[in-house]
């Protein structure tokens, strides 16, 4: 069996799967024969499930708020004790505008969804995987984690945490058969920028990657057990440059992309 083959009856959980990268990751799983438990905080998750069932795999959908520990508990319980072969932790939120102009409860929800809820789910599922000494995990980080995110500060901060955490957890599990992969996309053609109220920004109006291609890159990296993958060659260059560029310069560059009204400048 090669690293990319899956056994009959494999089971995957995909979060943030109602649209965008998450839905495309679920499609990758279905095409590879995984039965699915998919979750999102919006009713469109049911339509996504109907679409995925046409591939012939079993699909359970759950509309749930994964920014709360109660929501994560509901998702974990929905697996009904079935061993999880793959977890694709993709749920995330964004928020534009200057930090001091944001509603703090919205900012907190970004933090709770991207960090607290993700870590709580990982603690549950990765712990079970370690006990079985088997499993694959894909965590959706972002190249935004390499840049101080002026006018997107909370989001970029959460992704810096997730990127770093992914590498740390991978190292902690290196003696096991559980693999951790961090997918780090750049701007992708999803509903993210509309939901984050960033359609009037340069990055919101700019060219974006195809979510299906981004998902396939991440999915293949997960099956191969790779530690990380940056989707797209331009993003690879940007990530490399971020490592040698002063933080103040990166923050100013990000300002030009994400400041409200920058689409017209």
């Amino acid at each position: 069996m090669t690293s990319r083959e899956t056994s009959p009856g494999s089971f995957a959980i995909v979060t943030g799967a109602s649209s965008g990268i998450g839905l495309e990751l679920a499609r990758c799983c279905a095409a590879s024969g995984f039965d699915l438990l998919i979750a999102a905080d919006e009713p469109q998750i049911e339509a996504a499930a109907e679409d995925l069932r046409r591939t012939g795999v079993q699909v359970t959908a759950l509309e749930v708020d994964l920014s709360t520990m109660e929501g994560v508990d509901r998702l974990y319980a929905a697996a009904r004790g079935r061993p999880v072969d793959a977890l694709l932790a993709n749920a995330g939120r964004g928020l534009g505008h200057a930090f001091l102009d944001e509603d703090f409860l919205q900012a907190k929800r970004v933090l709770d969804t991207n960090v607290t809820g993700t870590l709580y789910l990982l603690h549950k599922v990765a712990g079970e995987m370690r006990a079985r000494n088997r499993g694959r995990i894909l965590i959706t980080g972002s190249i935004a984690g390499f840049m101080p995110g002026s006018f997107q500060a909370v989001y970029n901060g959460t992704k810096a945490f997730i990127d770093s955490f992914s590498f740390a957890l991978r190292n902690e599990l290196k003696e096991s058969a559980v693999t951790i992969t961090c997918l780090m996309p750049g701007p992708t053609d999803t509903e993210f920028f509309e939901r984050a109220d960033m359609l009037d920004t340069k990055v919101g109006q700019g060219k974006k990657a195809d979510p299906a291609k981004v998902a396939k890159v991440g999915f293949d990296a997960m099956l191969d057990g790779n530690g990380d993958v940056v989707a797209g060659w331009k993003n690879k260059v940007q990530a490399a440059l971020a490592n040698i560029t002063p933080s103040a310069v990166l923050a100013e560059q990000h300002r030009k992309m994400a400041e409200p009204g920058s689409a017209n400048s």
Side-chain angles (χ1 to χ4, degrees), residues 8-88:
S10 294
F11 177 53
I13 295 176
V14 186
T15 65
S18 57
S19 63
I21 295 173
L23 176 56
E24 297 299 338
L25 286 171
R27 285 175 175 154
C28 288
C29 288
S32 293
F34 284 93
D35 289 335
L36 288 163
L37 170 57
I38 60 173
D41 63 355
E42 56 186 6
Q44 289 92 323
I45 195 66
E46 294 294 343
E50 285 298 317
D51 178 61
L52 292 163
R53 290 186 187 112
R54 296 189 183 98
T55 66
V57 300
Q58 297 179 24
V59 183
T60 300
L62 183 66
E63 183 182 349
V64 64
D65 184 357
L66 296 177
S67 71
T68 69
M69 295 182 72
E70 294 80 8
V72 174
D73 284 335
R74 282 186 58 206
L75 174 61
Y76 191 69
R80 298 183 181 276
R82 186 173 180 180
V84 181
D85 298 291
L87 169 62
L88 297 90

Coordinates of all heavy atoms in Angstrom, one line a residue, residues 8-88:
P8 N -10.6 0.5 2.7 CA -12.1 0.6 2.7 C -12.7 1.0 4.1 O -12.2 0.5 5.1 CB -12.5 -0.8 2.2 CG -11.3 -1.3 1.5 CD -10.1 -0.8 2.2
G9 N -13.7 1.9 4.1 CA -14.3 2.2 5.3 C -13.5 3.3 6.1 O -13.8 3.5 7.3
S10 N -12.6 4.0 5.5 CA -11.8 5.1 6.1 C -12.8 6.2 6.4 O -13.8 6.4 5.7 CB -10.7 5.6 5.3 OG -9.7 4.6 5.1
F11 N -12.5 6.9 7.5 CA -13.5 7.9 8.0 C -12.7 9.2 8.2 O -11.7 9.3 8.9 CB -14.1 7.4 9.3 CG -15.0 8.4 10.0 CD1 -16.1 9.0 9.3 CD2 -14.8 8.7 11.3 CE1 -16.9 9.9 10.0 CE2 -15.7 9.6 12.0 CZ -16.7 10.2 11.3
A12 N -13.3 10.3 7.7 CA -12.6 11.6 7.9 C -13.6 12.7 8.4 O -14.8 12.6 8.1 CB -12.1 12.1 6.5
I13 N -13.1 13.6 9.2 CA -13.9 14.7 9.7 C -13.3 16.0 9.0 O -12.1 16.2 8.9 CB -13.8 14.9 11.2 CG1 -14.4 13.7 11.9 CG2 -14.4 16.2 11.6 CD1 -14.3 13.8 13.4
V14 N -14.2 16.8 8.4 CA -13.8 18.0 7.7 C -14.6 19.1 8.3 O -15.8 19.1 8.2 CB -14.0 17.9 6.2 CG1 -13.4 19.2 5.5 CG2 -13.4 16.7 5.6
T15 N -13.9 20.2 8.8 CA -14.6 21.3 9.3 C -14.6 22.5 8.4 O -13.7 22.6 7.5 CB -14.0 21.7 10.7 OG1 -12.7 22.2 10.5 CG2 -14.1 20.6 11.7
G16 N -15.5 23.4 8.5 CA -15.6 24.5 7.6 C -15.9 24.0 6.2 O -15.4 24.6 5.2
A17 N -16.8 23.0 6.1 CA -16.9 22.3 4.8 C -18.1 22.7 4.0 O -18.5 22.0 3.0 CB -17.0 20.8 5.1
S18 N -18.8 23.8 4.3 CA -19.9 24.2 3.5 C -19.6 24.8 2.2 O -20.4 24.9 1.3 CB -20.8 25.1 4.4 OG -20.1 26.2 4.8
S19 N -18.4 25.4 2.1 CA -18.0 26.0 0.9 C -16.5 26.2 0.8 O -15.8 25.8 1.8 CB -18.6 27.4 0.8 OG -18.2 28.3 1.9
G20 N -16.0 26.8 -0.2 CA -14.5 27.1 -0.3 C -13.6 25.9 -0.2 O -13.9 24.8 -0.7
I21 N -12.5 26.2 0.4 CA -11.4 25.1 0.6 C -12.0 23.9 1.3 O -11.7 22.8 1.0 CB -10.2 25.7 1.3 CG1 -9.5 26.8 0.4 CG2 -9.2 24.6 1.6 CD1 -8.4 27.5 1.1
G22 N -12.8 24.2 2.4 CA -13.3 23.0 3.2 C -14.2 22.1 2.4 O -14.0 20.9 2.5
L23 N -15.0 22.6 1.5 CA -15.9 21.8 0.7 C -15.0 21.0 -0.3 O -15.3 19.8 -0.5 CB -16.9 22.6 0.0 CG -17.8 21.9 -1.0 CD1 -18.6 20.7 -0.4 CD2 -18.8 22.9 -1.7
E24 N -14.0 21.7 -0.9 CA -13.1 21.0 -1.8 C -12.3 19.9 -1.1 O -12.0 18.9 -1.7 CB -12.2 22.0 -2.5 CG -13.0 23.0 -3.4 CD -13.8 22.4 -4.5 OE1 -13.5 21.3 -4.9 OE2 -14.7 23.1 -5.0
L25 N -11.9 20.1 0.1 CA -11.2 19.1 0.9 C -12.1 17.9 1.1 O -11.7 16.7 1.0 CB -10.7 19.6 2.2 CG -9.5 20.6 2.2 CD1 -9.3 21.2 3.5 CD2 -8.2 19.8 1.7
A26 N -13.4 18.2 1.4 CA -14.3 17.1 1.6 C -14.5 16.3 0.3 O -14.6 15.1 0.3 CB -15.7 17.6 2.1
R27 N -14.5 17.0 -0.9 CA -14.6 16.3 -2.2 C -13.4 15.5 -2.4 O -13.6 14.3 -3.0 CB -14.8 17.4 -3.3 CG -16.2 18.0 -3.3 CD -16.3 19.1 -4.3 NE -17.7 19.6 -4.4 CZ -18.0 20.8 -4.8 NH1 -17.1 21.7 -5.1 NH2 -19.3 21.2 -4.9
C28 N -12.3 15.9 -2.0 CA -11.0 15.1 -2.2 C -11.2 13.8 -1.4 O -10.8 12.7 -1.8 CB -9.8 15.9 -1.7 SG -9.3 17.2 -2.8
C29 N -11.7 14.0 -0.1 CA -11.8 12.8 0.7 C -12.8 11.8 0.1 O -12.6 10.6 0.1 CB -12.3 13.3 2.1 SG -11.1 14.1 3.1
A30 N -14.0 12.4 -0.3 CA -15.0 11.5 -0.9 C -14.4 10.7 -2.1 O -14.7 9.6 -2.3 CB -16.2 12.3 -1.3
A31 N -13.7 11.5 -3.0 CA -13.1 10.8 -4.2 C -12.1 9.7 -3.8 O -11.9 8.8 -4.6 CB -12.4 11.9 -5.0
S32 N -11.6 9.8 -2.6 CA -10.6 8.8 -2.2 C -11.3 7.7 -1.3 O -10.6 6.8 -0.8 CB -9.5 9.4 -1.4 OG -8.7 10.2 -2.2
G33 N -12.6 7.8 -1.2 CA -13.3 6.7 -0.5 C -13.6 6.9 1.0 O -14.1 6.0 1.6
F34 N -13.3 8.1 1.5 CA -13.5 8.3 2.9 C -15.0 8.5 3.2 O -15.6 9.3 2.5 CB -12.8 9.6 3.4 CG -11.3 9.5 3.6 CD1 -10.4 9.8 2.6 CD2 -10.8 9.1 4.8 CE1 -9.1 9.7 2.8 CE2 -9.5 9.0 5.1 CZ -8.6 9.3 4.0
D35 N -15.6 7.9 4.1 CA -16.9 8.3 4.7 C -16.6 9.6 5.4 O -15.5 9.8 5.9 CB -17.4 7.3 5.6 CG -17.9 6.0 4.9 OD1 -18.3 6.1 3.7 OD2 -17.9 5.0 5.6
L36 N -17.6 10.5 5.5 CA -17.4 11.8 6.0 C -18.3 12.3 7.1 O -19.5 11.9 7.1 CB -17.6 12.8 4.9 CG -16.5 12.8 3.8 CD1 -16.9 13.5 2.5 CD2 -15.2 13.5 4.3
L37 N -17.8 13.0 8.0 CA -18.5 13.9 9.0 C -18.1 15.3 8.7 O -16.9 15.6 8.8 CB -18.2 13.5 10.4 CG -18.7 14.4 11.5 CD1 -20.2 14.6 11.4 CD2 -18.3 13.9 12.9
I38 N -19.0 16.1 8.1 CA -18.6 17.4 7.8 C -19.4 18.4 8.6 O -20.5 18.2 9.1 CB -18.9 17.7 6.3 CG1 -20.4 17.5 5.9 CG2 -18.0 16.8 5.4 CD1 -20.8 18.0 4.5
A39 N -18.8 19.6 8.9 CA -19.4 20.5 9.8 C -19.1 22.0 9.3 O -18.1 22.2 8.7 CB -18.8 20.4 11.2
A40 N -20.0 22.8 9.7 CA -19.9 24.3 9.4 C -20.9 25.0 10.3 O -21.9 24.3 10.8 CB -20.1 24.6 7.9
D41 N -20.8 26.3 10.4 CA -21.7 27.0 11.2 C -22.8 27.7 10.4 O -23.4 28.7 10.8 CB -21.0 28.1 12.0 CG -20.3 29.1 11.2 OD1 -20.3 29.0 9.9 OD2 -19.7 30.1 11.7
E42 N -23.2 27.1 9.3 CA -24.3 27.6 8.4 C -25.0 26.5 7.8 O -24.5 25.4 7.6 CB -23.7 28.6 7.4 CG -22.6 27.9 6.5 CD -22.0 28.9 5.6 OE1 -22.3 30.1 5.7 OE2 -21.2 28.5 4.7
P43 N -26.3 26.7 7.5 CA -27.2 25.7 7.0 C -26.7 25.1 5.6 O -27.2 24.0 5.2 CB -28.6 26.3 6.9 CG -28.3 27.8 6.9 CD -27.1 28.0 7.7
Q44 N -25.9 25.8 4.9 CA -25.4 25.3 3.6 C -24.7 24.0 3.7 O -24.4 23.3 2.7 CB -24.5 26.3 2.9 CG -25.2 27.6 2.4 CD -25.3 28.7 3.4 OE1 -25.4 28.4 4.6 NE2 -25.1 29.9 3.0
I45 N -24.3 23.6 4.9 CA -23.6 22.3 5.1 C -24.5 21.1 4.7 O -24.0 20.1 4.2 CB -23.2 22.1 6.6 CG1 -22.2 21.0 6.7 CG2 -24.4 21.9 7.5 CD1 -20.8 21.3 6.1
E46 N -25.8 21.3 4.8 CA -26.7 20.2 4.3 C -26.7 20.0 2.8 O -26.7 18.9 2.3 CB -28.1 20.5 4.8 CG -28.3 20.5 6.3 CD -28.1 19.1 6.9 OE1 -28.1 18.1 6.1 OE2 -27.9 19.0 8.1
A47 N -26.6 21.1 2.1 CA -26.5 21.1 0.6 C -25.2 20.4 0.2 O -25.1 19.7 -0.7 CB -26.7 22.4 0.0
A48 N -24.1 20.8 0.9 CA -22.8 20.2 0.7 C -22.9 18.7 0.9 O -22.3 17.9 0.1 CB -21.8 20.8 1.6
A49 N -23.5 18.3 1.9 CA -23.6 16.8 2.2 C -24.4 16.1 1.1 O -24.0 15.0 0.7 CB -24.3 16.6 3.5
E50 N -25.5 16.7 0.6 CA -26.2 16.1 -0.5 C -25.3 15.9 -1.7 O -25.4 14.9 -2.4 CB -27.5 16.9 -0.8 CG -28.6 16.8 0.2 CD -29.1 15.4 0.3 OE1 -29.3 14.7 -0.8 OE2 -29.3 14.9 1.4
D51 N -24.6 16.9 -2.0 CA -23.6 16.9 -3.2 C -22.6 15.7 -3.0 O -22.3 15.0 -3.9 CB -23.0 18.2 -3.3 CG -21.9 18.2 -4.5 OD1 -22.3 18.0 -5.6 OD2 -20.7 18.4 -4.2
L52 N -22.1 15.6 -1.8 CA -21.0 14.6 -1.5 C -21.6 13.2 -1.5 O -20.8 12.3 -1.9 CB -20.3 15.0 -0.2 CG -19.5 16.2 -0.2 CD1 -19.2 16.7 1.3 CD2 -18.2 16.0 -0.9
R53 N -22.8 13.0 -1.1 CA -23.4 11.7 -1.1 C -23.5 11.1 -2.5 O -23.6 9.9 -2.7 CB -24.8 11.7 -0.4 CG -24.7 12.0 1.1 CD -26.0 11.9 1.8 NE -25.9 12.3 3.2 CZ -26.5 13.4 3.7 NH1 -27.2 14.2 2.9 NH2 -26.3 13.7 5.0
R54 N -23.5 11.9 -3.5 CA -23.6 11.4 -4.9 C -22.4 10.7 -5.3 O -22.4 9.9 -6.3 CB -23.8 12.6 -5.9 CG -25.2 13.3 -5.7 CD -25.4 14.3 -6.8 NE -26.7 15.1 -6.5 CZ -26.7 16.3 -6.0 NH1 -25.6 16.9 -5.7 NH2 -27.9 16.9 -5.8
T55 N -21.3 10.8 -4.5 CA -20.1 10.0 -4.8 C -20.2 8.6 -4.3 O -19.3 7.8 -4.6 CB -18.9 10.7 -4.2 OG1 -18.9 10.7 -2.8 CG2 -18.8 12.2 -4.7
G56 N -21.2 8.3 -3.5 CA -21.3 7.0 -3.0 C -20.8 6.7 -1.6 O -21.0 5.6 -1.0
V57 N -20.2 7.7 -0.9 CA -19.7 7.6 0.4 C -20.8 8.0 1.4 O -21.7 8.7 1.1 CB -18.4 8.4 0.7 CG1 -17.3 7.9 -0.3 CG2 -18.7 9.9 0.5
Q58 N -20.7 7.5 2.7 CA -21.6 8.0 3.7 C -21.2 9.4 4.2 O -20.0 9.6 4.4 CB -21.5 7.0 4.9 CG -22.0 5.6 4.6 CD -21.8 4.7 5.8 OE1 -21.8 5.1 6.9 NE2 -21.7 3.4 5.5
V59 N -22.1 10.2 4.3 CA -21.9 11.6 4.8 C -22.8 12.0 5.8 O -24.1 11.9 5.7 CB -22.0 12.6 3.6 CG1 -21.6 14.0 4.0 CG2 -21.1 12.2 2.4
T60 N -22.3 12.5 7.0 CA -23.1 13.1 8.0 C -22.8 14.5 8.1 O -21.6 14.9 8.1 CB -22.8 12.4 9.4 OG1 -23.1 11.0 9.3 CG2 -23.6 13.0 10.5
A61 N -23.8 15.4 8.1 CA -23.6 16.8 8.2 C -24.0 17.4 9.5 O -25.0 16.9 10.1 CB -24.3 17.5 7.1
L62 N -23.3 18.4 10.0 CA -23.6 19.0 11.3 C -23.4 20.5 11.2 O -22.3 21.0 10.9 CB -22.7 18.4 12.4 CG -23.0 18.9 13.9 CD1 -24.4 18.4 14.3 CD2 -21.9 18.4 14.8
E63 N -24.5 21.2 11.5 CA -24.4 22.7 11.6 C -24.1 23.0 13.0 O -24.9 22.7 13.9 CB -25.7 23.3 11.1 CG -25.7 24.9 11.2 CD -27.0 25.5 10.8 OE1 -27.9 24.8 10.3 OE2 -27.1 26.7 11.0
V64 N -22.9 23.6 13.3 CA -22.5 23.7 14.6 C -21.5 24.9 14.7 O -20.7 25.1 13.7 CB -21.8 22.4 15.1 CG1 -20.6 22.1 14.3 CG2 -21.5 22.4 16.6
D65 N -21.5 25.6 15.8 CA -20.5 26.7 16.0 C -19.3 26.1 16.7 O -19.3 25.8 17.9 CB -21.2 27.7 16.9 CG -20.3 29.0 17.1 OD1 -19.2 29.0 16.6 OD2 -20.8 29.9 17.8
L66 N -18.2 26.0 15.9 CA -16.9 25.5 16.4 C -16.1 26.5 17.1 O -14.9 26.2 17.4 CB -16.2 24.8 15.3 CG -16.9 23.6 14.7 CD1 -16.1 23.0 13.5 CD2 -17.2 22.5 15.7
S67 N -16.6 27.7 17.4 CA -15.9 28.6 18.2 C -16.1 28.4 19.7 O -15.5 29.0 20.5 CB -16.3 30.1 17.9 OG -17.6 30.3 18.4
T68 N -17.0 27.4 20.0 CA -17.3 27.1 21.4 C -16.9 25.7 21.7 O -16.9 24.8 20.8 CB -18.8 27.2 21.6 OG1 -19.5 26.1 20.9 CG2 -19.4 28.5 21.2
M69 N -16.5 25.4 22.9 CA -16.2 24.1 23.3 C -17.4 23.1 23.2 O -17.2 21.9 22.9 CB -15.6 24.1 24.7 CG -14.3 24.8 24.8 SD -13.5 24.8 26.5 CE -12.9 23.1 26.6
E70 N -18.6 23.7 23.5 CA -19.8 22.9 23.4 C -20.0 22.4 22.0 O -20.4 21.3 21.7 CB -21.0 23.7 23.9 CG -21.0 24.0 25.4 CD -20.1 25.2 25.7 OE1 -19.6 25.9 24.8 OE2 -19.9 25.5 26.9
G71 N -19.7 23.3 21.0 CA -19.8 22.9 19.6 C -18.9 21.9 19.2 O -19.2 20.9 18.5
V72 N -17.6 22.0 19.7 CA -16.6 20.9 19.4 C -17.1 19.6 20.0 O -16.9 18.5 19.4 CB -15.2 21.4 19.9 CG1 -14.2 20.2 19.7 CG2 -14.8 22.6 19.1
D73 N -17.6 19.6 21.2 CA -18.1 18.4 21.9 C -19.2 17.8 21.0 O -19.2 16.5 20.9 CB -18.6 18.7 23.3 CG -17.5 18.9 24.3 OD1 -16.4 18.4 24.1 OD2 -17.7 19.6 25.3
R74 N -20.1 18.6 20.5 CA -21.2 18.1 19.6 C -20.6 17.4 18.4 O -21.1 16.3 18.0 CB -22.1 19.2 19.2 CG -23.1 19.6 20.3 CD -24.1 20.6 19.7 NE -24.8 20.1 18.5 CZ -25.3 20.8 17.6 NH1 -25.1 22.2 17.5 NH2 -25.9 20.3 16.6
L75 N -19.6 18.0 17.8 CA -19.0 17.4 16.6 C -18.3 16.1 16.9 O -18.5 15.1 16.2 CB -18.0 18.4 16.0 CG -17.1 17.9 14.8 CD1 -18.1 17.5 13.6 CD2 -16.1 18.9 14.4
Y76 N -17.6 16.1 18.0 CA -16.9 14.8 18.4 C -17.9 13.7 18.7 O -17.7 12.6 18.3 CB -16.0 15.1 19.6 CG -15.0 14.0 19.9 CD1 -13.9 13.7 19.0 CD2 -15.2 13.2 21.0 CE1 -13.1 12.6 19.3 CE2 -14.3 12.2 21.3 CZ -13.3 11.9 20.5 OH -12.4 10.9 20.8
A77 N -19.0 14.1 19.3 CA -20.0 13.1 19.7 C -20.7 12.6 18.4 O -21.1 11.4 18.4 CB -21.0 13.7 20.6
A78 N -20.8 13.4 17.4 CA -21.4 13.0 16.1 C -20.7 11.9 15.4 O -21.2 11.2 14.5 CB -21.6 14.2 15.2
A79 N -19.4 11.7 15.7 CA -18.6 10.6 15.2 C -19.1 9.3 15.7 O -18.7 8.2 15.2 CB -17.1 10.8 15.4
R80 N -19.8 9.3 16.8 CA -20.4 8.1 17.5 C -19.3 7.0 17.8 O -19.6 5.8 17.6 CB -21.5 7.5 16.6 CG -22.6 8.5 16.4 CD -23.8 7.8 15.6 NE -24.9 8.8 15.4 CZ -25.8 9.0 16.3 NH1 -25.9 8.3 17.4 NH2 -26.8 9.9 16.0
G81 N -18.1 7.5 18.2 CA -17.1 6.6 18.6 C -16.3 5.9 17.4 O -15.4 5.1 17.7
R82 N -16.7 6.3 16.2 CA -15.9 5.7 15.1 C -14.5 6.3 15.0 O -14.3 7.5 15.1 CB -16.7 6.0 13.8 CG -16.1 5.4 12.5 CD -17.0 5.6 11.3 NE -16.5 5.0 10.1 CZ -17.0 5.0 8.9 NH1 -18.2 5.6 8.8 NH2 -16.4 4.4 7.9
P83 N -13.5 5.4 14.9 CA -12.1 5.9 14.8 C -12.0 6.9 13.6 O -12.4 6.6 12.5 CB -11.3 4.6 14.6 CG -12.2 3.5 15.2 CD -13.6 3.9 14.9
V84 N -11.3 8.0 13.9 CA -11.1 9.0 12.8 C -9.7 8.7 12.1 O -8.7 8.7 12.8 CB -11.1 10.4 13.4 CG1 -10.9 11.4 12.3 CG2 -12.4 10.7 14.2
D85 N -9.8 8.4 10.8 CA -8.6 8.2 10.1 C -7.9 9.5 9.6 O -6.7 9.5 9.5 CB -8.9 7.3 8.9 CG -9.4 5.9 9.3 OD1 -8.6 5.1 9.9 OD2 -10.6 5.7 9.1
A86 N -8.7 10.5 9.4 CA -8.2 11.8 8.9 C -9.0 12.9 9.5 O -10.3 12.8 9.4 CB -8.2 11.8 7.4
L87 N -8.4 13.9 10.0 CA -9.0 15.1 10.4 C -8.5 16.3 9.6 O -7.3 16.5 9.5 CB -8.8 15.4 11.9 CG -9.2 16.8 12.4 CD1 -10.7 17.0 12.3 CD2 -8.7 17.0 13.8
L88 N -9.4 17.0 8.9 CA -9.1 18.1 8.1 C -9.7 19.4 8.8 O -10.8 19.7 8.7 CB -9.6 18.0 6.7 CG -8.9 16.8 5.9 CD1 -9.7 15.5 6.1 CD2 -8.7 17.1 4.5

